[in-house]
Every structure is written in C-alpha cells, then in structure tokens.
Amino acid sequence: MTAGANLSVTDLRRAARHPVDFPVIVEHFTHGDLNLHISNLSAHGFMVDDAGELNRGDRVIIRLPIVGRIEAYVIWTRDKRAGFQFERIIRLDDFVAIIDTLQPNPRLRKGR
C-alpha cells in the first residue's frame, strides 16, 4: 500500500479499552491472511500484541462477533504491538455484546 489511511478521527486513545484474549485471522491487502492476537478492544479500535510486519497506515479486514467484517487501519506501532482504528465506530449495544462474547468473565470487564 502506498497511501496511508485517511481517517476523520485520528486520536481516540482515551476511549475505554476492555482487555480481551482473542486470536483472529485478518485479511491484509499485501500480506494476505495474518494471524493476530487482540489484547484490548474499544468501540473505536483495538490493539494487537503481535503486529510483526504491519506498518502505520496498513488496512486490514477483521471479523468480530456480532458486527461481522469491519475494516481497520494501523494508527501506531511500537515494538511488536500495533493500535488499529475501525473505519466506523461500533454502536454501543453491539460493542457491549462483543465484550460479553469475548470477555465472559464479568470481573475482568471494565465498568460501563
């Protein structure tokens, strides 16, 4: 990919993040299918702890419970971690359902 992401909201790192342990296969335009591990999730994006060959601006397509396929863009990378921003914000009721699916232990869910 030669052009970076053109996003309308560029810094949402203050959004509430929920810890998850979710292995996922994403579709990458250049690298094909990649196995990633999502370690936290918000309605605006997610962080992986095994970014490997991803770079800022890369686009992936991810499949999440409840919402299905959604595009996300790499906003930052550091060491082996990377932060992604969804192409659109996930609705609150859908996001709560995703967290309930991915983090079934209520003690590990952040307050809502």
Side-chain angles (χ1 to χ4, degrees), residues 2-111:
T2 56
N6 184 13
L7 304 171
S8 60
V9 182
T10 57
D11 190 0
L12 296 169
R13 287 178 273 182
R14 292 185 180 151
R17 297 184 189 115
H18 296 267
V20 295
D21 178 12
F22 186 60
V24 66
I25 298 173
V26 301
E27 300 171 31
H28 187 277
F29 179 72
T30 306
H31 303 299
D33 290 348
L34 298 174
N35 291 304
L36 297 177
H37 178 261
I38 298 176
S39 57
N40 72 46
L41 182 69
S42 77
H44 304 280
F46 60 95
M47 184 184 82
V48 299
D49 53 17
D50 57 352
E53 56 204 76
L54 294 171
N55 296 303
R56 189 171 191 272
D58 282 356
R59 177 182 68 99
V60 298
I61 299 173
I62 182 172
R63 182 177 299 276
L64 292 173
I66 313 303
V67 296
R69 291 170 49 108
I70 185 170
E71 288 187 31
Y73 296 87
V74 178
I75 298 299
W76 59 266
T77 61
R78 182 171 184 150
D79 301 324
K80 293 186 176 187
R81 297 177 300 153
F84 291 78
Q85 179 179 319
F86 293 125
E87 64 167 335
R88 58 184 162 80
I89 296 172
I90 297 174
R91 289 184 1 207
L92 180 60
D93 57 336
D94 287 341
F95 181 69
V96 169
I98 292 170
I99 294 302
D100 288 345
T101 302
L102 297 182
Q103 186 51 270
N105 183 347
R107 293 181 337 143
L108 296 177
R109 294 184 206 144
K110 291 191 176 186

